[in-house]
């Protein structure tokens, strides 16, 4: 019986790294990596030499020094005695706030406009087309400046809300009045009611105390955590868990009997009642803004810079989202709509239950890109004096400390990090 021996294997030679296809791709990658690392080392060494020639060091110790400037809108405590690191943190929170609110508004507006562009009503579809083409073809910075100008120039000043004795005698109304009696829109900003908590004390004392009422807060150093908010989140999370359990029981009953039990009112009670009881126990009430002196006091002031930036970014990005939604809907076969109509579904339910769910696989990838674009476009906030990350770390902090390289590197690391 003859045995077939394997062919002898060639011994490894250095020339195989170039001429052998098994090793050539790996060789090219290693060479490119080495060249790239050499370039980085040269760049770093050149930067260190240039900094040393100017008697400057590369460090981030400036983040712990006193900032010395104020920030007009902030979500956590901050004073001009705080550090540059805290100022950068405030700017990051302002950036994220504008980005999140803008993405939500842009998604709602974009979906509505994208669906209406496919409407059989000629006027509605053409109006949506005009909106899309107008916002897409004008730079977003112009929309931000236009929104800021409209909000600051067309809104009344605080003194227009004042009622003088002469006006009372003549039974005259002031030039401006609060919306619904609780919201004041002025050329300085929008004053809205502020939620307050109060347990075991008169409301006047709780309202005069700037610290959080109710269960209080926990100071973590970087920011304070509201125990009221934590309690509300825990209760609401428990309500969601209970509602899911109720849905599972309803599904099991439907599978066993074929009859779906009515659960909507139970879900409503489970989701609303525990949170409402907790808020009542914490003494939730709202402090309405009041005109005292030359401005409104009490409540929360939403600056026009934030409103203009967020609204302009939302409307601009919504025009692109509308086209994405329209393309996703048109990518679905027309037979899906015809089949839904044959089953007796109305056009609105067909769009919501049949077309849009299938179009999501086409819509979501470019939609995420638009979210990233909106987030990066918040850096234009400096045009309307909104103190975001670009205005704090990349603006005042950079100019005060002279640490241009460090500030730019931090910003280049922060933006990609929360864009993931």
């Amino acid at each position: 019986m003859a045995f077939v021996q394997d062919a002898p294997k060639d011994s490894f030679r250095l020339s195989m790294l170039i001429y052998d296809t098994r090793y050539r791709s790996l060789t090219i990658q290693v060479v490119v990596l080495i060249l790239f690392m050499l370039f980085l080392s040269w760049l770093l060494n050149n930067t260190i030499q240039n900094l040393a020639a100017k008697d400057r060091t590369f460090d981030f110790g400036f983040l712990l020094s006193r900032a010395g400037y104020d920030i007009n809108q902030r979500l956590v405590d901050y004073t001009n005695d705080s550090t540059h690191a805290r100022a950068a943190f405030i700017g990051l929170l302002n950036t994220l706030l504008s980005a999140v609110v803008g993405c939500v508004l842009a998604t709602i507006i974009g979906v509505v406009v994208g669906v209406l562009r496919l409407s059989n009503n000629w006027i509605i579809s053409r109006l949506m087309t005009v909106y899309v083409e107008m916002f897409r073809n004008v730079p977003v910075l112009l929309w931000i400046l236009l929104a800021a100008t409209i909000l600051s120039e067309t809104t009344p000043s605080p003194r227009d809300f004042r009622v003088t004795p002469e006006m009372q005698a003549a039974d005259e109304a002031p030039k401006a009045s609060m919306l619904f009696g609780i919201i004041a829109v002025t050329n300085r900003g929008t004053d809205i009611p502020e939620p307050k908590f109060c347990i075991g004390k008169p409301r006047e004392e709780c309202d005069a105390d700037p610290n959080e009422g109710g269960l209080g807060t926990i100071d973590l150093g970087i920011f304070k955590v509201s125990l009221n908010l934590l309690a509300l989140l825990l209760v609401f999370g428990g309500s969601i868990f209970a509602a899911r359990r109720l849905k599972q029981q309803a599904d099991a009953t439907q599978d066993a009997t074929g009859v779906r039990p009515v659960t909507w009112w139970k879900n409503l009670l489970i989701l609303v009642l525990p949170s409402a009881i907790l808020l009542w126990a914490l003494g939730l009430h709202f402090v309405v803004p009041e005109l005292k002196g030359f401005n409104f006091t009490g409540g929360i002031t939403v600056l026009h810079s934030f409103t203009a930036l967020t609204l302009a970014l939302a409307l601009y990005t919504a025009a692109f989202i509308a086209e994405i939604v329209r393309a996703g809907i048109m990518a679905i076969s027309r037979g899906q709509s015809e089949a839904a109509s044959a089953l007796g579904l109305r056009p609105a339910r067909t769009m919501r239950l049949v077309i849009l769910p299938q179009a999501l696989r086409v819509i979501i990838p470019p939609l995420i890109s638009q979210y990233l674009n909106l987030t990066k476009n918040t850096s234009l906030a400096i045009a309307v004096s909104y103190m975001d990350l670009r205005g704090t770390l990349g603006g005042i902090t950079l100019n005060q400390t002279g640490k241009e390289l460090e500030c730019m590197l931090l910003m280049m690391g922060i933006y990609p990090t929360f864009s993931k």
Side-chain angles (χ1 to χ4, degrees), residues 56-325:
R56 296 177 58 180
T57 59
F58 180 81
D59 63 83
F60 296 92
F62 70 95
L63 293 174
L64 301 179
S65 60
R66 179 178 179 271
Y69 60 91
D70 295 322
I71 298 178
N72 49 13
Q73 181 166 312
R74 51 192 179 271
L75 297 178
V76 297
D77 294 336
Y78 172 84
T79 64
N80 53 20
D81 290 326
S82 301
T83 63
H84 285 290
R86 190 168 185 84
F89 180 69
I90 300 296
L92 176 60
L93 290 181
N94 288 344
T95 295
L96 293 177
L97 176 63
S98 179
V100 171
V101 176
C103 287
V104 173
L105 290 177
T107 302
I108 296 174
I109 298 172
V111 171
V112 172
V113 173
V115 173
L116 291 181
R117 280 206 67 185
L118 299 173
S119 173
N120 294 326
N121 189 309
W122 187 87
I123 296 179
I124 292 178
S125 63
R126 291 302 178 271
L127 286 176
M128 296 302 103
T129 301
V130 170
Y131 163 79
V132 169
E133 296 300 328
M134 182 174 62
F135 274 89
R136 287 179 64 190
N137 293 289
V138 175
V140 63
L141 179 59
L142 297 183
W143 289 118
I144 296 174
L145 295 175
L146 177 62
T149 302
I150 293 175
L151 289 174
S152 60
E153 297 296 333
T154 61
T155 50
S157 61
R159 66 171 179 268
D160 294 331
F161 292 81
R162 188 181 306 279
V163 179
T164 61
E166 293 78 8
M167 297 174 64
Q168 289 181 342
D171 197 18
E172 294 182 359
K175 295 181 181 179
S177 59
M178 300 178 65
L179 298 176
F180 311 109
I182 58 174
I183 300 176
V185 181
T186 69
N187 55 4
R188 300 180 181 181
T190 303
D191 295 277
I192 60 177
E194 179 183 7
K196 283 280 189 176
F197 298 94
C198 189
I199 299 177
K201 292 191 298 184
R203 287 188 175 182
E204 291 75 13
E205 296 183 12
C206 295
D207 296 344
D209 187 3
N211 297 323
E212 189 75 21
L215 299 177
T217 58
I218 299 177
D219 192 352
L220 299 180
I222 301 177
F223 54 87
K224 295 180 180 180
V225 177
S226 172
L227 293 178
N228 305 311
L229 179 60
L230 287 179
L232 183 60
L233 291 177
L234 288 175
V235 171
F236 189 70
S239 298
I240 293 177
F241 177 76
R244 294 186 64 180
R245 293 286 298 175
L246 180 63
K247 181 180 181 299
Q248 292 175 358
Q249 294 179 2
D251 293 339
T253 302
Q254 183 179 8
D255 293 339
T257 64
V259 179
R260 180 76 178 185
V262 179
T263 59
W264 66 267
W265 63 272
K266 296 179 182 179
N267 285 324
L268 186 63
L269 288 178
I270 291 174
L271 293 175
V272 175
L273 189 59
S275 299
I277 293 175
L278 175 63
L279 292 176
W280 174 81
L282 293 175
L284 175 66
H285 62 283
F286 292 88
V287 179
V288 179
E290 295 182 0
L291 182 61
K292 294 182 179 180
F294 298 99
N295 202 359
F296 282 89
T297 60
I300 300 175
T301 301
V302 181
L303 298 179
H304 286 328
S305 56
F306 167 77
T307 306
L309 173 69
T310 306
L311 185 61
L313 289 178
L315 292 174
Y316 177 79
T317 308
F320 293 89
I321 294 178
E323 289 297 275
I324 294 172
V325 172

Side-chain angles (χ1 to χ4, degrees), residues 340-359:
S341 299
L343 293 175
L345 291 179
R346 295 182 178 180
R349 292 180 62 86
T350 299
M351 180 62 66
R352 180 168 58 90
L353 300 177
V354 178
I355 304 301
L356 282 180
Q358 298 183 70

